[in-house]
Amino acid sequence: MKKSRLNLFRLTSMTISILGVLILVATLIIFAYIGVDKISSGISSSVDSGSAYDELATLNSEYSALKVEFDSVKSDVNRGSNENLKREYVNAELELVKAKSAIDDVESALSTNKPLSEVQNRLKVAKDQLQTAKKSLSNLRGKM
């Protein structure tokens, strides 16, 4: 009887030791997975924000070119005496100011590390506003 209890004790001790080792290994695997996941998500978010910075640079470049065009049209409009054309120019220039504001919003979202979805939404608004400003300029040129 003593021998069976001793065997039972050994079996129980061995089982508990094996379960302890398995739980320890499982815990280490879980922590390693969480660590790798955080690192990879950090890398992917920095890559995504890098492309957003590229789009921001493109928007700033387009805005600068459009601003130059507006300045050249402004001198032509101011030389004339057509008040309706001057009013049209002011409305078109207002669209340009809105575009600059939208571009500044994108830059603000990037500098404050807003979520990527928020940055993408602001990029879309800025692109749309820049297109509206371009249309306003082309409409103004058509009336000149």
Side-chain angles (χ1 to χ4, degrees):
M1 185 110 159
K2 286 186 177 191
K3 213 173 204 184
S4 66
R5 278 194 246 164
L6 185 60
N7 285 337
L8 183 63
F9 178 73
R10 282 185 195 157
L11 180 65
T12 306
S13 296
M14 187 63 79
T15 305
I16 290 172
S17 298
I18 291 172
L19 285 176
V21 169
L22 289 176
I23 289 173
L24 183 65
V25 169
T27 303
L28 290 175
I29 290 172
I30 290 171
F31 282 129
Y33 174 77
I34 291 171
V36 167
D37 187 49
K38 288 208 180 264
I39 290 171
S40 67
S41 68
I43 290 171
S44 70
S45 69
S46 68
V47 168
D48 291 338
S49 68
S51 65
Y53 276 108
D54 291 342
E55 289 183 50
L56 175 64
T58 302
L59 286 174
N60 276 326
S61 174
E62 289 177 19
Y63 170 79
S64 296
L66 193 59
K67 178 75 171 139
V68 169
E69 291 180 44
F70 264 91
D71 290 342
S72 69
V73 169
K74 182 178 185 176
S75 62
D76 293 341
V77 168
N78 286 336
R79 275 190 241 133
S81 61
N82 188 346
E83 289 300 318
N84 287 335
L85 197 59
K86 288 180 182 180
R87 200 171 303 117
E88 289 280 333
Y89 175 78
V90 169
N91 290 336
E93 194 171 34
L94 181 61
E95 294 299 326
L96 183 68
V97 169
K98 288 179 185 177
K100 179 61 176 164
S101 176
I103 291 170
D104 289 344
D105 283 346
V106 172
E107 192 170 354
S108 171
L110 285 171
S111 66
T112 58
N113 294 325
K114 294 280 186 188
L116 186 62
S117 60
E118 176 71 20
V119 172
Q120 293 297 330
N121 288 340
R122 290 183 185 194
L123 275 169
K124 184 182 181 313
V125 168
K127 287 176 185 176
D128 292 344
Q129 192 60 47
L130 201 57
Q131 289 302 319
T132 303
K134 286 179 183 178
K135 285 180 186 177
S136 296
L137 181 63
S138 67
N139 289 341
L140 182 65
R141 284 189 171 159
K143 292 179 182 180
M144 289 175 71

